Amino acid sequence: MQIDVFTLFPGWFDWFRTQRHVTNAVALGSALDCVDYRAHTPLKWGQVDDTPFGGGAGMVLRVDVVEAALRARYGDDPVAVRERRRVIALTPGGRLLDDGLVEEFAAEEELTLLCGRYEGFDERILDHFCSDQVSIGRYVLAGGELAAMVVCDAVLRKLPGALGHEESAQEESFSAALGGAPEYPHYTRPAEWRGWGVPDVLLSGHHAKIREWRHEQARHRGGGESLS
Ligand code: 6GU
């Protein structure tokens, strides 16, 4: 998996890159690279954004700047680039990220994530350069960077070996293995704390019963659609 993140704040990703599942993914051949819009702007003084036509607050990321950054990275017209790889704009009004969309992205060889800042993107960026628009929730962040990290985190941990523990990502909250249901409850030592115990079945060593109990619990937590 090769992920390119286009951003005005590449430094934000330095910390993220040091996280275990990310270093694991990179060690296994994945890459997470940042492209700084500002490094490729054709405008003076590193300008990347401008005031909105028609007036209003804030600044809008310019289409010519995003085109220059995409061309510099891919050596091609961004209109053609989106035909061969997913180019995903992070924008609060986009399609809500869920486990199904994460699975889709994780199945790709290459992803491009475009972060906007300030008031967002010139609409022509979304219309002509992007294959997807993704949001991580119905609230507004100051920019797409944190949302891009959420996407990268969710995608990279799906890759084989990223968690260092093969099964961990398979039967987990919202996964198909649990029929889209939230995960079952977990317990660890101590088996009793302040009189709060642990369900007996988990201490029974009876694996079939434990499995049955967990699926039952996942179903009870609700949200699942197809668990039977
Ligand atoms: Cl993807 N971007 C911004 N700026 N705000 C958001 C978001 C994305 N998703 C939820 N809020």
Side-chain angles (χ1 to χ4, degrees), residues 90-92 134-137 139-141 143-144 147:
L90 283 314
T91 175
V134 169
S135 167
I136 61 164
Y139 44 82
V140 178
L141 302 168

Side-chain angles (χ1 to χ4, degrees), residues 3-25:
I3 305 180
D4 294 336
V5 181
F6 287 68
T7 173
L8 291 169
F9 302 97
W12 283 40
F13 292 83
D14 292 346
W15 161 82
F16 180 68
R17 237 192 292 269
T18 67
Q19 300 307 298
R20 176 62 70 200
H21 58 299
V22 182
T23 58
N24 282 348

Side-chain angles (χ1 to χ4, degrees), residues 89-96 114-121 133-148 151:
L90 283 314
T91 175
R95 176 175 167 192
L96 272 182
L114 303 185
C115 303
R117 269 269 135 180
Y118 318 116
E119 290 309 294
F121 298 94
Q133 297 177 35
V134 169
S135 167
I136 61 164
R138 294 299 180 228
Y139 44 82
V140 178
L141 302 168
E145 282 76 12
L146 289 172
V151 172

Side-chain angles (χ1 to χ4, degrees), residues 151-165:
V151 172
C152 290
D153 189 292
V155 166
L156 291 174
R157 66 187 293 290
K158 292 272 189 195
L159 303 181
L163 298 180
H165 190 114

Side-chain angles (χ1 to χ4, degrees), residues 29-88:
S30 289
L32 175 62
D33 294 326
C34 288
V35 178
D36 187 347
Y37 294 119
R38 219 179 284 283
H40 301 286
T41 178
L43 306 172
K44 279 189 201 160
W45 326 121
Q47 189 189 346
V48 291
D49 55 3
D50 222 320
T51 53
F53 284 130
M59 301 290 274
V60 177
L61 192 59
R62 289 176 55 132
V63 63
D64 51 349
V65 169
V66 173
E67 168 153 348
L70 285 163
R71 275 187 188 276
R73 181 68 173 180
Y74 303 116
D76 200 357
D77 184 340
V79 172
V81 170
R82 79 157 177 196
E83 300 301 322
R84 60 169 191 264
R85 63 189 284 154
R86 302 279 285 259
V87 179
I88 303 156

